[in-house]
Amino acid sequence: MFEEKKAEWLRIAESLKPALHRETVRPVSGMPDHALTENESIVLDFGTHFVGHFTLKLSAQGSHPDAPAWLAVKFCENARELNETLDGYTGWISKGWVQQEQAHIDVLPAAVSFPRRYAFRFVKIDVLALSSKYRLVIEEASAQAVTAADDRVPAPLTGDQRDIAIDRVALRTLRNCMQDFFEDGPKRDRRLWLGDLRLQALTNSVTYRHFDLVKRCLYLFAATADRDGRIAACLFTEPAVEADDTYMFDYSLFFIQTLSQYVQASGDRATGSDLLPLALRQLALAEAQFDPEAQLIRDSGRLGWCFVDWALPLNKQFCAQAIWIACAQAAYEMQADPALKEKIRLRREAARKHWYDPARRLFVSGAQRQVSWASQVWAVLSGIAEGADAAACLDAAAACPEAIPMVTPYMMHHYVEALCRVGRKAQARQVIRTYWGGMVDQGADTFWELYNPDNPDESPYGSPVVNSFCHAWSCTPAWFLRSGMLEENA
Ligand code: RAM
């Protein structure tokens, strides 16, 4: 399916590969004022978060170097990482992501270019070995910082100082994830994920307005759909464009919303019509997950079958139904199909009937009738919760201590959107100031993948050492603050 289109879709995607803006940046502090001896350590501070390639210019002082200089170099997105170690790491994702290098420099003076592209503010250099006959001079440290974003495009935000500070960090987050495509995080996974793209595209539409980059990403997903037309949750572009073999119920469906938002924001109807059949195919494929009699989605025990949030105990059944409804609604708005409208109505009704707990005024999920914040948020965003029940279910989650909490800024984005939807604009603004503002208070230059104010070690991977601290899906305060969403009359 769509096989005959894919070569052309890939050609379009590749023709939109962006030219990167390059800038040479240097540390604002930490450059040593003396020659280093063995076992000394320094920390270079570049003043804010950058993504780029790092070079050291080194020379020797004393006798002619009679042994290599051996350095350990660690790149850290925030100060906390400076003291983290990989000793005893037992997490389930690769520790290969951690940005640590070792270099042996046989001949001095030398210009040493480090092999990877790094995401960092701080660079820690440990002198592991020299010899007693010479000392090491760091003549220069610099990085070639890269981004596809044009910093001149976003208008400055005016108004409240805390909002301005949050917006600045949100912009930096998005900008540093804008590379050859919209990466989820420039430290990890450096990949194009659909759930992240959707929120990046939204924020991009009111900030950098790099619509060609969004278009490129939509076509990358289109070109890598499988033989059934199913869109992968994420894809790689190196060494060649290829879908990951990870499929998530919600991420495939979000192709529809991402396409519809892109067409609305950019006015590019041609892309809308070109990709609409593939977008609608995601709805058709989702049918296999439904019980057609009950109009209810079947639950699945497969870990990660539907993402929603990184709260591991979260039951996804209710949210999956709600996300299907929200995406079907977006499809209906692109192409009014009465049969789809009726299906949406039936599925909203079925969800209310099976999962609403009228005594507690909230929605439950799964065989265990689990209560979570995520279910209430998606009940609102999908229109399953109607009228006064919508705000009431959000309040009910707050009043229910056993409700599974939200752990990612990604999920918090949906919560803020739900608050706006029920007219709680002041509360939505407050959540942004407290939650994202909480990261700013802790010195964030870019927003993090995970943030649980009650647990600084929150990580679904087994250790925060592999967490990403510049993560695409956290950039949406700039969208809330700039789109007018938070205005009382919007
Ligand atoms: C993680 C990444 C990515 C996200 C997926 C579901 O691997 O943080 O951003 O979209 O999970």
XYZ file of all heavy atoms in Angstrom, residues 184 188-189 193 196 248 251 307 310 449 461 471 473, ligand 1:
150
model
N 14.121 14.271 18.963
C 13.432 14.275 20.267
C 14.342 14.862 21.337
O 13.908 15.617 22.197
C 12.939 12.874 20.645
C 14.062 11.857 20.829
O 15.119 12.004 20.183
O 13.881 10.907 21.606
N 19.877 12.271 23.501
C 19.225 10.966 23.367
C 17.762 11.201 23.043
O 17.170 12.037 23.720
C 19.313 10.249 24.717
C 19.350 8.795 24.761
C 18.550 8.118 25.857
N 17.143 8.157 25.485
C 16.228 8.803 26.215
N 16.537 9.419 27.330
N 14.985 8.835 25.814
N 17.121 10.562 22.066
C 17.571 9.473 21.208
C 18.079 9.993 19.875
O 18.391 9.168 19.015
C 16.412 8.511 20.902
C 15.753 7.948 22.129
O 16.445 7.532 23.046
O 14.517 7.939 22.175
N 10.680 11.180 16.459
C 9.550 10.468 17.069
C 8.276 11.243 16.756
O 8.241 12.476 16.904
C 9.697 10.406 18.591
C 10.674 9.412 19.127
C 12.004 9.605 19.333
C 10.384 8.081 19.580
N 12.562 8.473 19.880
C 11.598 7.524 20.044
C 9.218 7.294 19.638
C 11.686 6.228 20.561
C 9.312 6.010 20.155
C 10.534 5.482 20.604
N 6.725 13.460 19.635
C 7.506 14.676 19.870
C 7.305 15.658 18.724
O 7.109 16.862 18.940
C 8.997 14.337 20.012
C 9.257 13.318 21.116
O 8.902 12.149 20.923
O 9.782 13.704 22.169
N 3.480 2.293 17.860
C 2.653 2.602 19.024
C 1.301 3.078 18.514
O 1.237 3.916 17.597
C 3.299 3.697 19.860
C 4.554 3.257 20.573
S 5.371 4.685 21.276
C 6.591 3.899 22.296
N 1.000 6.942 18.647
C 1.934 7.697 17.803
C 1.547 7.589 16.322
O 1.603 8.582 15.599
C 3.377 7.241 18.047
C 4.056 7.966 19.205
C 3.336 8.407 20.313
C 5.422 8.226 19.199
C 3.964 9.069 21.371
C 6.055 8.895 20.249
C 5.316 9.311 21.333
O 5.938 9.976 22.368
N 1.614 4.813 23.992
C 2.573 5.475 24.888
C 1.914 6.294 26.010
O 2.063 5.992 27.186
C 3.549 6.336 24.075
C 4.471 7.085 24.980
C 5.352 6.399 25.820
C 4.436 8.467 25.051
C 6.185 7.083 26.699
C 5.266 9.157 25.928
C 6.138 8.469 26.747
N 5.233 8.334 30.438
C 6.232 7.390 30.925
C 5.929 6.926 32.358
O 6.851 6.673 33.123
C 7.626 8.009 30.879
C 8.452 7.607 29.693
C 9.121 8.447 28.851
C 8.734 6.280 29.224
N 9.784 7.735 27.883
C 9.564 6.399 28.090
C 8.349 5.000 29.636
C 10.030 5.301 27.375
C 8.807 3.907 28.916
C 9.636 4.066 27.812
N 13.362 15.960 29.679
C 12.479 14.870 29.242
C 11.518 14.444 30.345
O 10.347 14.158 30.103
C 13.379 13.689 28.847
C 12.641 12.421 28.509
C 13.595 11.277 28.210
O 14.771 11.349 28.624
O 13.147 10.315 27.572
N 13.987 4.780 32.787
C 15.044 3.933 32.222
C 15.901 3.258 33.284
O 16.829 2.534 32.955
C 15.948 4.779 31.316
C 15.172 5.621 30.349
C 15.243 7.012 30.392
C 14.329 5.036 29.403
C 14.515 7.790 29.507
C 13.594 5.807 28.522
C 13.688 7.190 28.589
O 12.961 7.951 27.717
N 14.714 18.278 25.813
C 13.830 17.305 25.191
C 12.640 17.975 24.525
O 11.879 18.710 25.142
C 13.390 16.270 26.219
C 13.171 14.930 25.588
N 14.214 14.125 25.162
C 12.047 14.274 25.250
C 13.733 13.025 24.615
N 12.415 13.091 24.653
N 9.647 17.415 23.544
C 8.242 17.461 23.960
C 8.008 18.405 25.138
O 6.885 18.586 25.581
C 7.698 16.070 24.229
C 8.292 15.280 25.376
C 8.944 15.754 26.480
C 8.228 13.853 25.532
N 9.309 14.726 27.304
C 8.873 13.543 26.752
C 7.682 12.817 24.773
C 8.991 12.228 27.214
C 7.798 11.521 25.246
C 8.445 11.234 26.442
C 11.500 8.069 24.581
C 11.854 9.387 24.039
C 10.917 9.966 22.997
C 9.517 9.482 23.170
C 9.470 8.002 23.334
C 8.088 7.421 23.445
O 12.330 7.105 24.049
O 11.907 10.207 25.155
O 10.943 11.351 23.065
O 8.687 9.936 22.164
O 10.158 7.692 24.497
